[in-house]
Amino acid sequence: MRTVPSILHIDMDAFFAAVEQRHKPSLRGKPVVVGGVGLRGVVSTASYEARAFGVGSAMPTALARRRCPNAAYLFPRFGAYHEISQVVMGILREFSPLVEPVSMDEAFVDLEAMTQGPPKDEQEVRAHARRLSALVAERTGLTASVGAGTSKLVAKVASDADKPHGCVVVAAGSEQRWLDPLPVRKLWGVGPATADRLHTMGATTVAELRALGEHELVSLLGNAWGGQLFRLSRGRDERVVSAEREAKSVSVEDTYPHDLMDLYSIRAAVTELAERVVRRLREGGHTGRTVTVKARGHDFTTVTRSETLAGPTDDVRLLLPAALRLVDGAAAAATGQMRGIRLLGVGISALAEYAQGDLIAELEGLGEYTPQGAETDEAHAPPAEPAPVPAVTMYGPVPEAPEARHWLAGQDVRHPQWGPGWVQGAGLGRVTVRFEGPDTPPGRIKTLDVADPDLEAVDSAEVARAALPQEADIAAERPAGPDVGG
DNA sequence: TCTGGGGTCCTAGGACCC
DNA sequence: TCTGGGGTCCTAGGACCC
């Protein structure tokens, strides 16, 4: 246990809204609401002027508009917030190298790690906190609230205790006394569900929570969380400030303004989400093994379906087929009486670090490596075992409806000459199929455009006809419109 | 009023192996 | 023939945070 409250927690006040007011002087002093402005948007941040009208975070924008029709409703500009966030984090690192960002507008700073030596007493901590707050105001024009304590929990609760522009230092030894009168809901990690359960046990304040035995808490909340809460309620929190935290998962999800009603549009949406999540995965230099698809029905029923691949990968050609295998079941489970899908998501977890050494070895093994397009993608493919391709044979004409072509994307196909392949994309009048055939070089993939017989003008038609027997047009296994949940 | 998008951590059951 | 226990992995869901 520290004898000086040397852990700081910094929390920017109404961050997104404050950035907008800073950026646009006409918004200053006026209610500003940042968040989803669409049909199904929710509020991210409300300025203090808007909060006076009863507008708050996580509230549906529709309700906010009713409560505060005269506010400015703005879509978030994450780029701008990120820039200012970097400035703030930079200031924090001038104080101590040990900074743990929690989000764009929040961070812990451990003053014990200060290069010029840790603070000797509470007064010194207070001086640092005030100086920090002043620097943030000076360089960003925004206010922050600062809390200090001997643990992360106390620092966090303290920064919230006197918002906005507050500075609360909880002296070492006084933690319990300071926490006791607070409602349990103030404790980090106690949400609505836990608060309800605690209330039924007669605990509304931290003092009352402390009266509960450890055994009681564990049986009520489970082993990990019950034990943790027992310690937290006594101001005991051993968690350390940690500068680097490794990502565990990457995910992308969208809520659609109108429910998706058929499998065609659902599969098209999943294809798009999978491409986005793979892009993010690669940007972070990660590969991942477990693919998760999330679906939310009209009535908010939310289900996830996941599948673990044989090895980690960042290759859409492995991740998209997995996502498409999962989505039908997820969508069916999320929809009751054939109603629509309001949200879809694709996530990747069980992340591994990108193996640089393997990449180089792989590139050297490839005689004629060309650093562009699909070939580059293939050279980047990690040493994952591709899932076996099921022998789905697709016959018949290419469907005309655009939705049907979208549905084709990701489908496995088999060609008598070229072996197994899958539909990479379905554009107007043609589909692009990737084959991994016996005469393609090891680890390489050949991309062919397969022309619809009605569209002979397509550039690659000549190539396609040379390679493929006329009767082997790639088309849908299922001809038309299966319904969701049917 | 009708519920975003990005995450983390925990639990619990079943499969599988030793 | 019947019956174990422990460990690990996978899947699904839930609570929570910003």
Side-chain angles (χ1 to χ4, degrees):
Chain A
M1 184 83 163
R2 300 182 186 221
T3 53
V4 174
S6 50
I7 296 180
L8 298 189
H9 181 260
I10 290 83
D11 195 345
M12 302 296 291
D13 301 318
F15 184 54
F16 293 0
V19 171
E20 298 300 342
Q21 287 176 320
R22 181 78 202 151
H23 179 75
K24 216 172 171 191
S26 64
L27 295 175
R28 293 180 198 170
K30 302 223 174 88
V32 172
V33 177
V34 181
V37 293
L39 233 49
R40 286 172 166 170
V42 300
V43 174
S44 294
T45 314
S47 72
Y48 284 91
E49 297 85 353
R51 291 181 197 190
F53 289 85
V55 176
S57 296
M59 172 183 288
T61 306
L63 174 59
R65 283 187 196 278
R66 236 157 283 144
R67 293 199 177 169
C68 190
N70 295 323
Y73 287 86
L74 306 172
F75 194 79
R77 297 183 299 134
F78 292 106
Y81 312 146
H82 184 74
E83 256 178 52
I84 295 177
S85 175
Q86 294 297 97
V87 173
V88 173
M89 300 299 168
I91 294 170
L92 303 186
R93 290 192 185 95
E94 291 174 18
F95 283 75
S96 167
L98 193 42
V99 172
E100 177 180 326
V102 178
S103 64
M104 277 204 277
D105 71 328
E106 228 184 87
F108 289 101
V109 181
D110 192 341
L111 297 180
E112 286 294 314
M114 288 175 74
T115 39
Q116 62 269 48
K120 286 181 290 295
D121 55 26
E122 195 191 316
Q123 270 59 47
E124 221 176 300
V125 170
R126 196 179 298 276
H128 287 309
R130 291 204 187 286
R131 167 121 187 88
L132 198 153
S133 181
L135 272 178
V136 168
E138 182 187 318
R139 296 194 199 161
T140 68
L142 305 173
T143 64
S145 294
V146 187
T150 53
S151 68
K152 286 172 104 171
L153 173 85
V154 171
K156 169 109 173 109
V157 178
S159 72
D160 188 52
D162 190 26
K163 270 185 157 291
H165 210 6
C167 180
V168 173
V169 179
V170 179
S174 71
E175 295 87 356
Q176 201 165 287
R177 211 174 339 124
W178 187 78
L179 288 171
D180 267 350
L182 298 175
V184 287
R185 199 55 237 279
K186 288 281 179 187
L187 292 182
W188 192 85
V190 176
T194 307
D196 276 355
R197 294 169 117 177
L198 292 175
H199 289 168
T200 64
M201 304 280 289
T204 311
T205 65
V206 175
E208 289 159 349
L209 166 61
R210 211 149 46 73
L212 299 178
E214 181 166 17
H215 201 77
E216 265 177 295
L217 283 174
V218 167
S219 65
L220 186 70
L221 304 170
N223 206 356
W225 183 217
Q228 171 85 317
L229 197 54
F230 181 80
R231 293 185 292 276
L232 291 183
S233 66
R234 282 156 179 76
R236 269 159 48 193
D237 175 16
E238 307 300 327
R239 291 171 297 184
V240 296
V241 179
S242 156
E244 15 356 286
R245 295 171 64 204
E246 293 200 344
K248 299 253 165 53
S249 66
V250 177
S251 68
V252 153
E253 66 184 53
D254 273 343
T255 292
Y256 302 96
H258 301 284
D259 290 352
L260 305 182
M261 300 303 292
D262 64 280
L263 213 41
Y264 293 153
S265 30
I266 288 170
R267 295 183 74 103
V270 162
T271 301
E272 194 257 330
L273 291 167
E275 284 164 356
R276 265 158 61 193
V277 82
V278 164
R279 210 174 308 136
R280 291 253 314 278
L281 188 69
R282 290 187 166 203
E283 281 166 7
H286 292 111
T287 57
R289 270 190 77 200
T290 302
V291 181
T292 302
V293 168
K294 176 171 165 182
R296 173 127 74 209
H298 184 81
D299 68 352
F300 232 69
T301 303
T302 307
V303 302
T304 62
R305 292 290 180 269
S306 63
E307 183 182 313
T308 300
L309 305 174
T313 181
D314 64 356
D315 192 331
V316 239
R317 292 166 306 169
L318 296 175
L319 297 170
L320 174 59
L324 289 167
R325 280 196 292 278
L326 294 166
V327 72
D328 296 3
T335 50
Q337 309 298 324
M338 313 247 316
R339 310 276 289 285
I341 290 291
R342 65 153 45 217
L343 168 147
L344 286 172
V346 176
I348 300 171
S349 55
L351 299 189
E353 283 313 304
Y354 188 71
Q356 194 70 24
D358 292 354
L359 167 68
I360 291 162
E362 212 176 318
L363 292 184
E364 285 170 347
L366 286 170
E368 36 164 346
Y369 166 66
T370 42
Q372 55 166 0
E375 259 88 17
T376 312
D377 290 350
E378 182 51 27
H380 278 242
E385 277 298 311
V389 179
V392 177
T393 308
M394 304 171 98
Y395 294 113
V398 173
E400 279 177 27
E403 298 84 5
R405 288 198 302 271
H406 272 305
W407 180 78
L408 270 173
Q411 288 296 301
D412 294 319
V413 297
R414 181 179 288 280
H415 184 270
Q417 184 186 343
W418 294 81
W422 67 282
V423 179
Q424 186 201 22
L428 197 62
R430 63 181 185 182
V431 291
T432 305
V433 182
R434 286 176 177 241
F435 290 105
E436 217 158 358
D439 67 335
T440 52
R444 299 288 282 278
I445 287 216
K446 204 157 190 162
T447 304
L448 284 183
D449 287 348
V450 181
D452 185 290
D454 295 334
L455 290 161
E456 299 194 346
V458 171
D459 280 347
S460 52
E462 212 63 38
V463 182
R465 254 196 311 284
L468 301 171
Q470 289 297 318
E471 68 271 20
D473 296 308
I474 305 302
E477 175 194 14
R478 281 178 279 176
D483 281 320
V484 179

